[in-house]
């Protein structure tokens, strides 16, 4: 399987249906964090999204360690995704198909959407080598974490040309 | 009267939370079999990842899925039991508080409007039925919300009949698509009032995959629904494949002459449950 490194510089080389192993630095955000960052002006955001990969996950934890960390349903993030891509994010990781507005935004900003396997939280937690909270600690599992990941098994679901494994 | 003590219930529930860290044997077997017969390459990738994941979770004693859900309990309390040392629901909640922490589960429970988290995954959802005898049966179903959000209730007209029931179930599964993390288990409750149908649908998820419905009519309906759901070719994770439903479970309750309620409750691929009798 092909290795992809985040921050991703070669998004246009990734095609829908490719199975990849993701390595490098990524950020987490799910419903509550998306709402907060998108309600702020771009210059006031607590963390820069430039070049970032955003993983839709709220991990489970024990004694400060991540125990399970699989993807959540991406569609709930759809209304925020064009803004997130406009503010610099390049790649998104979640599960399930997206609405038309996300397809359009991925084309416009040359982004890529990966799917992880929903229900495989133990395997994804195993891929996380380091983690730290970078914003919104009060949200608990919905805080924004920075993760260092190694060989996360993913599938390119929607590429920057709008090709999709779902349609 | 037989006494059951508050502390024993707390301890039992605390230990039951380990269910979040392992797939039930029937689910593990069903996923392995699905992986063998699946013809889509992407779905096989998803299914084989899920099979590996179950092994990793078991080995490390970590949650199978990070969504360890709301803790749903079905209690069958014998009428000859006296609970001593505290209130039954407090004991269940204390067990959840301790167990979710002990097994590294996610604290996913919050106020619906303020969105303030309780940070201990309580309150649990507790359904209690008084039964005969002197035992307390506790069934635990950690229910993730990717699948729970796909719950549907159809208040059909009596004239819609069995065909209407089937169309409703298919509509619920089709519109859910990839969102409930297929391959899924589908619980269907038919009859009663709106809330009895919903509860009946959820209760079906306690059945083991592959278990045969003793009622012949329902058994046939379950098989037909399973075939029709799999013909939708949603596939594992919605990747488009052969296996969408691992099983379909149906039960009925008598209803009103004017009504035909149909409720659908979906279980994701991470089937986790535990039963204890005190």
């Amino acid at each position: 399987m092909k290795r992809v490194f985040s921050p991703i510089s070669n998004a246009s080389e990734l095609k829908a249906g490719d199975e990849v192993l993701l390595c490098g630095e990524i950020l987490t955000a799910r419903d509550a964090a998306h709402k907060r960052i998108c309600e702020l002006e771009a210059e006031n955001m607590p963390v820069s999204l430039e070049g970032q990969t955003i993983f839709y996950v709220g991990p489970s934890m024990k004694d400060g360690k991540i125990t399970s960390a699989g993807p959540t349903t991406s569609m709930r993030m759809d209304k925020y995704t064009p803004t997130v891509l406009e503010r610099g994010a390049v790649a998104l990781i979640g599960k399930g198909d997206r609405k038309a507005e996300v397809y359009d935004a991925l084309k416009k900003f040359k982004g890529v959407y990966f799917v992880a396997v929903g229900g495989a939280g133990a395997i994804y937690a195993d891929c996380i080598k380091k983690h730290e909270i970078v914003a919104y600690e009060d949200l608990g599992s919905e805080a924004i974490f920075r993760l260092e990941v190694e060989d996360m098994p993913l599938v390119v679901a929607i590429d920057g040309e709008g090709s999709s494994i779902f349609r | 009267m037989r006494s059951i003590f508050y502390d024993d219930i707390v301890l039992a529930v605390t230990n039951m939370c380990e269910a979040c860290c392992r797939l039930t044997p029937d689910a593990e077997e069903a996923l392995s079999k699905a992986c063998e017969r699946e013809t889509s390459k992407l779905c096989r990738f998803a299914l084989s990842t899920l099979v590996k994941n179950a092994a990793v979770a078991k080995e490390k004693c970590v949650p199978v899925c990070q969504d360890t859900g709301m803790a749903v309990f079905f209690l069958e309390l014998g009428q000859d039991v006296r609970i001593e040392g505290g209130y039954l629901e407090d004991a269940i909640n204390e067990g959840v508080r301790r167990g979710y922490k002990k097994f590294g589960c996610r604290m996913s429970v919050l106020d619906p409007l303020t969105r303030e988290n309780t940070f201990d995954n309580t309150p649990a959802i507790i359904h209690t039925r008084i039964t005969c005898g002197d035992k307390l049966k506790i069934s635990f179903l950690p229910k993730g919300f990717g699948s729970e959000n796909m719950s549907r209730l159809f208040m059909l007209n009596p004239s819609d009949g069995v065909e209407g029931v089937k169309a409703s179930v298919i509509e619920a599964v089709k519109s859910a698509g990839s969102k409930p993390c297929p391959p899924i288990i589908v619980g269907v409750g038919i009859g009663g009032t709106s809330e009895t149908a919903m509860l009946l649908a959820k209760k079906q998820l306690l059945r083991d995959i592959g278990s045969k419905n003793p009622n012949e009519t329902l058994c046939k309906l379950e098989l037909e629904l399973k075939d029709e759901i799999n013909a939708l070719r949603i596939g594992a994770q919605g990747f488009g494949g052969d296996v969408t439903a691992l099983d379909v479970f149906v039960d009925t309750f008598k209803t009103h002459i004017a009504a035909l309620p149909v409720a659908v409750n979906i279980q994701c691929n991470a089937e986790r449950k535990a039963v204890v009798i005190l």
Side-chain angles (χ1 to χ4, degrees):
Chain A
M1 246 193 279
K2 165 159 75 177
R3 279 203 170 78
V4 173
F5 295 88
S6 178
I8 295 173
S9 54
N10 59 340
S12 60
E13 291 165 23
L14 299 167
K15 301 295 169 210
D18 290 353
E19 291 175 30
V20 302
L21 296 170
L22 185 77
C23 306
E25 235 181 59
I26 64 177
L27 291 177
T28 73
R30 43 172 291 154
D31 307 59
H34 271 80
K35 184 170 191 291
R36 285 196 188 175
I37 55 178
C38 290
E39 279 170 3
L40 293 171
E41 298 295 326
E43 58 272 22
N44 294 334
M45 290 198 304
V47 53
S48 166
L49 300 183
E50 198 55 48
Q52 287 291 352
T53 300
I54 313 289
F55 183 18
Y56 305 145
V57 62
S60 58
M61 320 246 331
K62 185 182 179 182
D63 303 330
K65 286 194 184 119
I66 290 177
T67 52
S68 196
T72 194
T73 303
S74 302
M75 219 176 252
R76 295 197 313 272
M77 265 50 79
D78 282 358
K79 68 173 177 178
Y80 302 114
T81 302
T83 307
V84 166
L85 290 168
E86 191 185 345
R87 292 182 180 184
V90 169
L92 315 163
I93 308 169
K95 70 178 177 79
D97 201 1
R98 312 297 302 258
K99 290 189 184 131
E101 60 202 277
V102 175
Y103 278 76
D104 293 344
L106 285 169
K107 259 194 209 171
K108 185 175 170 190
F109 298 107
K110 298 277 164 254
V112 60
Y113 168 55
F114 298 100
V115 284
V117 178
I123 280 190
Y124 291 109
D126 236 12
C127 301
I128 299 170
K129 299 306 162 193
K130 270 190 208 161
H131 72 272
E132 58 168 339
I133 294 178
V134 292
Y136 308 141
E137 196 168 357
D138 61 300
L139 292 177
S141 68
E142 290 204 86
I144 298 180
F145 290 75
R146 180 176 286 117
L147 307 178
E148 195 184 306
V149 299
E150 205 176 279
D151 290 349
M152 243 180 118
L154 304 173
V155 174
V156 178
I158 309 173
D159 61 34
E161 283 164 20
S163 293
S164 165
I165 61 166
F166 292 110
R167 297 183 183 185
Chain B
M1 291 299 264
R2 175 174 167 256
S3 294
I4 296 180
F5 295 92
Y6 174 95
D7 289 346
D8 293 335
I9 300 170
V10 172
L11 185 65
V13 171
T14 304
N15 292 333
M16 285 174 98
C17 294
E18 192 181 357
C20 295
C21 301
R22 50 178 166 74
L23 281 190
T24 53
D26 56 303
E28 225 173 313
E29 193 192 328
L31 287 174
S32 298
K33 279 190 181 161
C35 194
E36 281 165 23
R37 73 172 187 274
E38 178 61 60
T39 55
S40 145
K41 183 174 164 276
L42 278 181
C43 289
R44 271 205 312 277
F45 161 77
L47 291 165
S48 63
T49 304
L50 290 171
V51 171
K52 272 184 244 160
N53 183 70
V56 172
K58 202 193 284 178
E59 187 202 318
K60 301 195 157 191
C61 197
V62 295
V64 173
C65 174
Q66 76 292 339
D67 188 356
T68 46
M70 282 194 93
V72 177
F73 288 86
F74 290 94
L75 306 183
E76 289 176 36
L77 178 64
Q79 62 182 359
D80 298 329
V81 171
R82 184 173 54 205
I83 307 289
E84 282 192 43
Y87 175 47
L88 174 60
E89 292 203 0
D90 289 345
I92 301 287
N93 281 318
E94 184 56 27
V96 167
R97 202 170 280 130
R98 293 184 194 177
Y100 267 63
K101 188 161 180 248
K102 180 175 176 187
F103 295 105
C105 302
R106 194 174 73 185
M107 306 308 173
S108 309
V109 175
L110 44 65
D111 182 281
L113 298 179
T114 66
R115 313 302 293 178
E116 264 172 64
N117 202 302
T118 64
F119 288 110
D120 62 6
N121 223 57
T122 68
I125 304 293
I126 306 170
H127 304 291
T128 308
R129 226 180 108 214
I130 306 296
T131 56
C132 295
D134 62 358
K135 303 265 193 298
L136 170 63
K137 181 176 177 186
I138 307 173
S139 302
F140 169 47
L141 189 72
K143 191 66 172 66
F145 265 57
S147 58
E148 186 64 12
N149 277 340
M150 300 300 112
S151 307
R152 297 285 294 272
L153 174 68
F154 302 86
M155 298 304 281
L156 300 182
N157 288 321
S159 61
D160 295 331
V162 178
E163 287 314 306
V165 170
K166 285 167 84 174
S168 301
V169 177
I170 297 302
E171 150 66 18
V173 173
K174 199 173 172 183
S175 63
S178 66
K179 293 199 277 289
C181 277
I184 53 176
I185 301 159
V186 184
V188 182
I190 307 170
T193 50
S194 57
E195 84 281 11
T196 38
M198 290 303 300
L199 197 54
L200 204 54
K202 173 150 284 117
K203 244 181 158 169
Q204 299 317 300
L205 304 180
L206 291 172
R207 274 175 61 186
D208 285 344
I209 297 168
S211 65
K212 201 166 175 273
N213 196 316
N215 177 311
E216 241 175 74
T217 311
L218 296 184
C219 183
K220 186 167 159 272
L221 180 59
E222 288 175 353
L223 292 173
E224 286 169 7
L225 280 170
K226 191 174 156 187
D227 285 347
E228 281 186 42
I229 289 169
N230 285 330
L232 294 172
R233 296 197 59 77
I234 293 167
Q237 301 291 313
F239 291 166
D242 307 305
V243 187
T244 302
L246 296 174
D247 219 333
V248 181
F249 301 132
V250 183
D251 203 1
T252 61
F253 195 87
K254 299 290 185 265
T255 191
H256 188 274
I257 48 173
L260 179 50
V262 179
V264 180
N265 196 231
I266 297 177
Q267 166 68 56
C268 64
N269 63 60
E271 190 205 34
R272 297 149 291 177
K273 62 189 181 201
V275 178
V276 161
I277 297 173
L278 295 179

